């Protein structure tokens, strides 16, 4: 080849043809490749993008699933302390656990209860809520593109996203007070940091936005309950119920004409919490609750009366003491046909699924997953049953439960003595303090008193399926050297959420498992109490426009309406309704309703926020925690049951503890944001 | 073998010899009429023929009539003489005068006359550079004006210097220069230095504009050697180096260590760890199991190692084909002691490299040149199994930590990982092998197009490069124990097992890249009676693709592609008034369509004042030239590909809409990366003002450049979005901005004093950068921001010495970093709020990379003896020292104690211990000792800030070239023996380890101190 080139090298034609080849090669390169050479987008064509997500049904559902995921973790309402810390920081419950090290050790508990927590603690929910809000907004803006869903499905999905967005705002304002409302289509993250800084809106603005969005969602959501494959999706009832709850908080003393919060301001000095009391806010809450009641599809769950045992889960009904009004009437006028203890207990221990339960309005169902099904019972279960012996109740909570005739428990003096056998004071077994005798059925469904029976009926070894647990010093579940940190600090444990089958704790005996439980995020009993509480505060009549703009709801302080609501809860719990004298007094009824909240909604993440919205926390949360004297052995059981102050469970309340601090990191990044009263700024 | 055959074949083919008619003889003399031996005489356009003059300057050569004889000799002008019919040709050789007109620079458009060049370019005379080891990057600092370099490790295979042209101009992902070898983007770390013909550094925008979006950080241009017509020349070089370390940290022995432990404890009112009895046991080594005293440094590190470097190259050719063929071998040993009983494999660090290169030039026609180059290397590196922990282990394992082996044969260890027994770590944990195989092939076709218009030519180039890397890691470790400090009742040791035995297991990794590059250009260069015009247009495209282990991300498998059109036009009027315009219109696949292309123009001009008629009177001034350039550059390597695209993917979490019995579970789908589709490259605006002076027949040359660069749109992740935005991933943006200013300059002085040739050379590079804008959160105190300070500015508290007494503590602001007492560090309350906390952290010192690099050297030759000395220095850098040896006992018993801290004169000692109030020295170098950490003392502050400046004796060389006359008898043309010392001495302020490492804790392999002897022979 080279030789040939040489021979013709003097040939000008050849020269030109070499040149021609070079030039045409270059030109070819030029023309064919310039545009295409750098175009790489075809590599990404088959990847997921926002248009394909919303064009297809499955991807759209997946996106929506992602919006829902923010309901979990730090935003859940029932579960382990890792997620639902606030459940354990009020005056009803606590956690013991390890004395030191670890995010949720007893020393951490003390930090929180001493007000020594800081702006960095337990802040995951702030970002999680706003992420959920953004994801929901993208969904709302794009779901109309879908080509595979029917128009009705699109409307329903969009309303679900709208519900979730409002719900995330609600979770934010419940914890932090008023927060910044971001633009409806989301913030443009390519903007400068200063343009991405937003001040806090007023609490009323937040409430207006949340409630109007929930009303909007309610219009498009189905009124009827959903099928078993779509239980978690909110219904119209869920949106209206959440709306009632938001209104109730907004009407409460913390946010309604609260001069103590005059110093909660935005960057321009605007006060964020209303300084003028407005009674109409109560009317809105009452009306919103009434709209749920008037839907007529919810009622309280009841389990029928049965004389014979149906296994450990369903012992024979313990009939409350005879009451002329209630003993012979069927529910809801009386308790003749129901088992009050089981009616309440089965709501939480997994025996009643969500589907077919008329009381649950909104629930994360199984999505709380192991938190509710496993972790929570594991921390409640006694150490000798391979639990952590960590969560417990205060003496105050135990004393809040009424006697089985509806009267208050005698405190001065307390009842002394112990049961001699396991039949004299049903359901108490032998050797249990008589302080726990003859209490209202909800007590027995909730409290793990010293000497109560723990069942683990799912395990194979029959002899281990049932065990009476005492918390005396020296016993496996009391204070003792082998596990010095894992004892229930007050000697009063929690039975709520524990199923008699549950056995999967620190280790799982052969055959053991835990029954999956349904999370009660909003249940009908709450709507009834919201209705009664809000109505009780009214001094005149109000006409409140209906959520859908059709007509209005008139509300005023109506005793029979309030009694109808409250009695449903009390009779289901096996105790009589209040005397007329209580209904006659706003203050007396308010006190009773607060106590009803405390008892009925134990361990459902209510008490911490209720005490704050009522502004009762300065008193209630500053009172020393009392409990059994854990230094007493079985031989000193009288002394064990003489309440003492529990030093490892300190209490204090200062103003800053009303609202959770805003993270410093966020204050640095959003320079227009302002801190909650009492908390520090980064500078 | 095949290559050799080709060479032989080519030589035959080229010399299809013509009839030889004439025998020409003659005498070659120098201007003083003295006969010149060893002058090379060849016949033009005929390879393989040639002779040289003998001792009397006489020669004899057989040739045909009308051929041309070429007389050449180093340092003299080459002369071509037509033979005609003559048979006697006497020649007087003229010394080559380095006229300013003859000086050239290598630019992006090719070789150019230096006088007409308008860009800032440093051309390095490769012969002046002495490369320690085999890595040219280690010779850049102090040798090449405009380059800031530092060597942060001396470990064989990992001892490349990092370098930056004109310092750091950006805090973005890509700060490194573009390296072009023979016109293609290629790495040059592993290049055989003997192959390099020219080495240029393009610094300003006009010099790099042709490279568009790749040239922002400067360009290094390397060309490799080509064959020259003439007799075959064989050049061989062998050198052997004796390698030691520049400086290794020195630690106290076991006895001193134990005493210091006691001091650290008692001075804080704690019980001493060692009783006087135990101290004596350690001192006399009475119980090596419980109270060992091991010199780990001595045990793990060899006092010296060797390197071997051999290279051989051939070049030559005839008029139609020329060749350059080279091969080289390099072997560099590590410092790690190995276990002599291990015969099967070696654990010491080691690097072996084989290089080869063949460059062929063919004149296909009289106007067509075909160039073919194939080059490559094969490298093999070895390192001990847990070798990456060796320096950490050396710094951490104190002499009393464990014995080497317990007396019963069990293997002791302090812990696991880096805390493995150091001897085990370096000899008993297997080994790692690494191979790299790299082949570069390129073809150039160059066609002169004078028949279209004079001075026009076209060039087409294609390159294909392949690189593959493989790694096999064979790892193991023995069962290891620790002992309780007390023996049991029977006097036996109580063992605690630290790790179980692991038999040898293996992991491996591989990677590979393929690069295909095409470019074509049209070049025009012509002189019209004083008007010199040159122009160039270039089309270029490059594809680089990783083909091994690209993972699952689609982006990793997509080739990197660049496409560019670029051009240059230059004009010079009578070499006096100069102007040039350069541009690059370059595209990158990394941005969205519409954002892919950028236009990067540069204008430059020069005025050669010395060419003005009115100036010519000043005879001693050969050159006085000013030049200025202004242009735009870009950087498309953002450290992340396709950031303009979003990624939507399932996050791994799921959500169940149903209940347990009827689950209806969906994977959660959302943005895993949000998009910023306006993303584009980083751009820079560069300005450069240069001055060039040559005086007294180029005896003294000098140039200096002032530069300023503003870098904008630096690609960065926005990490400080408020959470209310709700994005789950931080977006990217072009938001950073920096300013970099500085100067670089160079001078040389050459003089022949009698028979001594004498040269002094010096160069300097200085820069200072400043962050104008970058992604950061709001800072109430301006000094806590990065804006307004250097890139990588060091920050810490300001130490005001040590507290004298409690009185002073009471009267000083409260320090919030744990408890403190007299002898602990006192800090300044910068913001005056009465509390010392993080808000008092201020910028202190500079960055850990030097902002000033300079070099000064001199060489002299007398007869055959040559001598060369070169100093290199760096300044304007600072770093914190820290870690378990700098902070005594900060990690309890993990950490050696520097002899510097062990010296009582250097630390604060309580008078209760020393019995002398004078030892409570508030200005001492080390604070009151503490055991187990001290949060107040041991944190970044001016107290621990060290000035990184140093000056080192980089090269000291002595050589002897044998006289030509003797060589000729051996048919040699050059024979030189030499000895070079590298890194022989360093002056600095750090003193504890090598300052160039810029290392805070001493856990780094020090640079090598080498003495090399070598022999270079040319046939």
């Amino acid at each position: 080849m080279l030789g040939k080139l040489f021979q013709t090298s003097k040939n000008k034609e050849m020269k030109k043809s070499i040149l021609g080849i070079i030039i045409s090669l270059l030109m070819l390169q030029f023309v064919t490749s310039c545009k295409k050479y750098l175009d790489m987008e075809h590599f990404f064509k088959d990847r997921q993008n926002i248009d394909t997500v919303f064009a297809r049904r499955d991807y759209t559902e997946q996106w929506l699933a992602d919006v829902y995921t923010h309901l979990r973790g730090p935003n859940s309402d029932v579960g382990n302390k890792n997620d639902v810390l606030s459940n354990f920081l009020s005056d009803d419950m606590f956690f013991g656990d390890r004395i030191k090290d670890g995010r949720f050790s007893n020393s951490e508990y003390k930090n929180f209860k001493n007000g020594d927590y800081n702006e960095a603690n337990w802040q995951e929910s702030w970002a999680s809520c706003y992420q959920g809000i953004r994801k929901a907004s993208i969904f709302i803006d794009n779901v109309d593109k879908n080509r595979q869903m029917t128009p009705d499905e699109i409307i329903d999905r969009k309303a679900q996203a709208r519900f979730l967005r409002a719900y995330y705002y609600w979770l934010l304002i419940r914890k932090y007070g008023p927060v910044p409302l971001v633009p409806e289509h989301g913030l443009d993250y390519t903007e400068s940091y200063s343009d991405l800084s937003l001040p806090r809106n007023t609490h009323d603005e937040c409430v207006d936005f949340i409630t109007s969005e929930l009303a909007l969602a309610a219009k498009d959501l189905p009124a009827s309950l959903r099928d078993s494959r779509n239980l978690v999706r909110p219904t119209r009832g869920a949106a209206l119920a959440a709306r009632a709850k938001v209104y109730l908080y907004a009407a409460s003393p913390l946010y309604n004409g609260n001069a103590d919060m005059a110093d909660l301001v935005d960057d321009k000095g605007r006060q964020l919490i209303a300084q003028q009391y407005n009674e109409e806010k109560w009317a809105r809450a009452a009306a919103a609750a009434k709209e749920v009641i008037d839907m007529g599809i919810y009622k309280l769950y009841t389990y029928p009366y049965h004389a014979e045992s149906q296994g450990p889960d369903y012992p024979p009904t313990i009939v409350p003491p005879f009451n002329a009004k209630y003993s012979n009437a069927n529910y809801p006028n009386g308790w003749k046909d129901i088992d009050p203890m089981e009616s309440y207990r089965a709501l939480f221990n997994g025996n009643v699924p969500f589907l077919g339960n008329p009381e649950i309005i909104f629930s994360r169902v199984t999505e709380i997953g192991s938190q509710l099904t496993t972790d929570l019972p594991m921390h409640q279960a006694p150490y000798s049953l391979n639990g952590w012996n960590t969560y417990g109740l205060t003496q105050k909570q135990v004393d809040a439960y009424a006697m089985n005739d509806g009267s208050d428990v005698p405190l001065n003096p307390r009842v002394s003595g112990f049961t001699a056998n396991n039949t004299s004071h049903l359901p108490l077994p032998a050797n249990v303090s008589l302080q726990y005798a003859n209490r209202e059925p909800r007590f027995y469904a909730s409290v793990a008193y010293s000497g109560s029976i723990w069942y683990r009926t799912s395990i194979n070894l029959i002899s281990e399926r049932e065990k009476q647990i005492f918390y005396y010093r020296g016993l496996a579940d009391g204070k003792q050297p082998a596990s010095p940190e894992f004892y229930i600090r007050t000697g009063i444990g929690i039975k709520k959420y524990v199923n008699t089958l549950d056995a999967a704790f620190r280790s799982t005996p052969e055959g053991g498992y835990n029954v999956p439980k349904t999370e009660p995020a909003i249940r009908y009993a709450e709507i009834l109490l919201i209705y009664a509480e809000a109505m009780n505060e009214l001094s005149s009549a109000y006409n409140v426009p209906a959520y859908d703009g059709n007509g209005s709801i008139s509300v005023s302080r109506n005793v029979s309406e309030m009694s109808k609501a409250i009695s449903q809860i009390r009779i289901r719990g096996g105790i009589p309704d209040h005397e007329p004298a209580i209904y006659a007094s706003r203050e007396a009824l308010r006190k009773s309703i607060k106590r009803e909240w405390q008892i009925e909604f134990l361990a459902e993440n209510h008490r911490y926020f209720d005490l704050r919205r009522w502004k009762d926390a300065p008193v209630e949360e500053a009172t020393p925690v009392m409990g059994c004297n854990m230094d007493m052995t079985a031989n000193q059981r009288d002394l064990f049951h003489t309440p003492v102050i529990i030093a490892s469970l300190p209490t204090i309340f200062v103003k800053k503890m009303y609202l959770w601090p805003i993270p410093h990191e966020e204050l640095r990044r959003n320079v227009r944001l302002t801190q909650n009263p009492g908390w520090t700024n980064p500078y | 073998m095949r290559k050799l055959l080709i060479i032989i074949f080519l030589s035959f083919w080229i010399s299809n010899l013509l009839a030889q008619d004439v025998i020409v003889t003659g005498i070659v003399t120098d201007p003083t009429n003295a006969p010149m031996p060893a002058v090379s005489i060849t016949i033009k356009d005929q390879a393989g023929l040639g002779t040289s003059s003998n001792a009397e300057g006489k020669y004899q050569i057989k040739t045909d009539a009308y051929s041309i004889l070429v007389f050449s000799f180093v340092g003299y002008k080459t002369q071509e003489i037509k033979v005609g019919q003559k048979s006697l040709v006497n020649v007087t050789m003229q010394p080559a005068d380095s006229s300013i007109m003859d000086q050239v620079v290598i630019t992006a458009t090719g070789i150019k006359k230096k006088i007409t060049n308008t860009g800032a370019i440093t051309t390095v005379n490769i012969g002046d550079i002495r490369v320690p080891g085999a890595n040219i990057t280690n010779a850049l600092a102090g040798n090449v004006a405009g380059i800031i370099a530092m060597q942060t490790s001396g470990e064989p295979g990992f001892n490349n210097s990092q370098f930056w042209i004109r310092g750091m101009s950006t805090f973005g992902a890509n700060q490194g220069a573009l390296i072009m070898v023979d016109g293609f983007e290629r790495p040059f770390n592993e290049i055989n230095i003997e192959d390099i013909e020219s080495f240029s550094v393009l610094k300003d925008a006009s010099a790099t504009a042709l490279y568009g979006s790749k040239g922002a950080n400067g360009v290094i241009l390397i060309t490799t050697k080509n064959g020259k017509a003439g007799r075959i020349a064989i050049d061989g070089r062998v050198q052997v180096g004796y390698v030691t370390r520049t400086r290794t940290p020195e630690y106290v022995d076991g006895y001193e260590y134990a005493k210091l432990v006691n001091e650290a404890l008692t001075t804080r009112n704690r019980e001493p760890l060692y009783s006087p009895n135990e101290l004596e046991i350690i001192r006399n080594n009475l119980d090596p199991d419980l109270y060992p005293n091991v010199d780990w440094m001595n045990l793990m590190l060899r006092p010296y190692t060797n390197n071997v470097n051999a290279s051989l190259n051939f070049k030559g050719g005839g008029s139609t084909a020329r060749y350059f063929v080279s091969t080289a071998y390099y072997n560099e040993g590590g410092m790690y002691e190995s276990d002599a009983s291990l015969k099967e494999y070696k654990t010491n660090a080691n690097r072996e490299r084989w290089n080869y290169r063949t460059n062929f030039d063919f004149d296909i026609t009289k106007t067509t040149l075909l160039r073919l180059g194939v080059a490559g290397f094969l490298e093999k590196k070895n390192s001990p199994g847990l070798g990456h922990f060796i320096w950490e282990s050396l710094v951490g394992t104190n002499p009393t930590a464990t014995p080497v082996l317990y007396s019963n044969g069990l293997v002791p260890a302090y812990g696991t990982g880096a805390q493995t027994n150091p001897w085990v770590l370096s000899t008993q944990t297997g080994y790692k092998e690494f191979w790299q195989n790299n082949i570069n092939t390129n073809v150039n076709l160059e066609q002169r197009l004078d028949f279209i218009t004079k001075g026009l030519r076209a060039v087409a180039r294609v390159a294909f490069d392949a690189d593959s890397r493989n790694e096999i890691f064979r790892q193991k470790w023995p069962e290891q124990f620790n002992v309780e400090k007390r023996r049991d009742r029977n006097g036996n040791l109580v063992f605690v097992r630290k790790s179980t035995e692991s038999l040898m297991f293996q992991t491996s990794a591989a990677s590979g890249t393929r690069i295909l590059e095409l470019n074509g250009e049209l070049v025009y260069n012509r002189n019209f009676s004083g008007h010199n015009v040159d122009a160039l247009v270039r089309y270029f495209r490059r594809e680089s693709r990783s083909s091994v282990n690209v993972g699952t991300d689609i982006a990793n498998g997509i080739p990197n592609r660049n496409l560019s059109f670029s051009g240059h036009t230059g004009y010079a009027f009578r070499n006096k008034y100069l102007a040039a315009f350069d541009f690059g219109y370059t595209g990158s696949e990394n941005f969205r369509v519409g954002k892919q292309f950028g236009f990067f123009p540069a204008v430059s001009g020069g005025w050669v004042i010395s060419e003005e008629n009115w100036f010519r009177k000043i005879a001693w001034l050969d050159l006085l030239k000013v030049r200025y350039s202004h242009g735009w550059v870009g950087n498309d390597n953002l450290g992340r590909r396709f950031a303009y695209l979003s990624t939507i993917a399932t996050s791994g979490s799921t959500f169940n809409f149903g209940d347990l019995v009827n689950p209806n579970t969906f994977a959660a789908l959302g943005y895993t990366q949000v998009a910023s589709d306006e993303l584009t490259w980083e751009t820079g605006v560069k300005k450069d003002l240069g001055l060039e002076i040559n005086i007294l027949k180029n005896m003294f040359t000098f140039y200096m450049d002032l530069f300023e660069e503003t870098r904008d749109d630096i690609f960065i992740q926005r990490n400080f979005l408020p959470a209310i935005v709700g994005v789950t991933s931080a977006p990217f943006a072009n938001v950073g901005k920096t300013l970099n200013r500085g100067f670089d300059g160079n001078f040389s002085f050459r003089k022949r004093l009698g028979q001594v040739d004498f040269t002094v050379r010096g160069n300097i590079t200085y820069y200072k950068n400043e962050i104008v804008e970058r992604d950061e959160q709001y800072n109430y105190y301006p000094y806590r921001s990065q804006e307004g300070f250097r890139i990588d500015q060091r920050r810490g508290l300001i130490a005001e010495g040590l507290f004298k007494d409690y009185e002073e503590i009471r009267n000083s602001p409260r320090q919030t970093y744990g408890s403190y007492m007299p002898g602990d560090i006192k800090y300044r309350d910068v913001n005056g709020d009465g509390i010392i906390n993080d808000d008092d952290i201020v910028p202190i010192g500079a960055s850990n990379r030097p902002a000033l690099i300079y070099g000064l050297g001199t060489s002299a030759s007398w007869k055959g003896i040559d001598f060369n000395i070169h100093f290199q220095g760096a300044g304007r850098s600072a770093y914190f020292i820290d870690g378990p040896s700098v902070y005594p006992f900060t990690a309890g018993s993990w950490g050696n104690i520097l002899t510097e801290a062990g010296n009582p004169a250097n630390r604060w000692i309580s008078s209760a211990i020393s019995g002398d109030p004078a030892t409570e020295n508030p200005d001492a170098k080390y604070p009151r000792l503490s055991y187990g950490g001290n949060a107040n003392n041991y944190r970044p502050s001016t107290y621990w800030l060290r000035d990184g400046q140093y000056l080192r004796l980089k090269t000291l060389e002595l050589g002897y070239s044998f006289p030509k006359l003797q060589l000729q008898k051996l048919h040699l043309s050059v024979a030189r023996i030499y000895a070079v010392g590298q890194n022989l001495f360093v002056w600095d302020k750090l003193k504890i380890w090598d300052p160039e490492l810029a290392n805070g804790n001493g856990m780094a392999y020090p640079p090598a101190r080498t003495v090399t002897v070598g022999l270079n022979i040319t046939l």
Side-chain angles (χ1 to χ4, degrees), chain B residues 735-746:
Chain B
V735 290
K737 189 171 179 182
T738 57
L739 176 68
N740 185 23
R741 285 194 181 117
F743 61 87
D744 54 64
N746 193 331

Side-chain angles (χ1 to χ4, degrees), chain B residues 130 756-759 761 857-862 864-871 953 955-960 976 979:
Chain B
R130 295 292 173 270
V756 181
D757 276 317
F758 181 69
T759 311
R761 290 180 305 272
T858 180
S859 50
S861 62
W862 175 72
I865 299 170
D866 58 271
F867 169 78
N868 181 10
I869 185 166
H870 185 77
F871 293 90
L953 175 52
T955 313
L956 182 66
E957 182 183 23
L958 194 61
Y960 176 70
R976 178 170 174 263

Side-chain angles (χ1 to χ4, degrees), chain A residues 54 60 63-64 135-143 157 161:
Chain A
F54 285 103
T60 304
W63 189 281
L64 189 59
K135 290 172 180 176
S137 293
I138 294 172
F139 187 90
I140 292 167
D141 289 346
N142 286 284
V143 67
R157 302 296 187 277

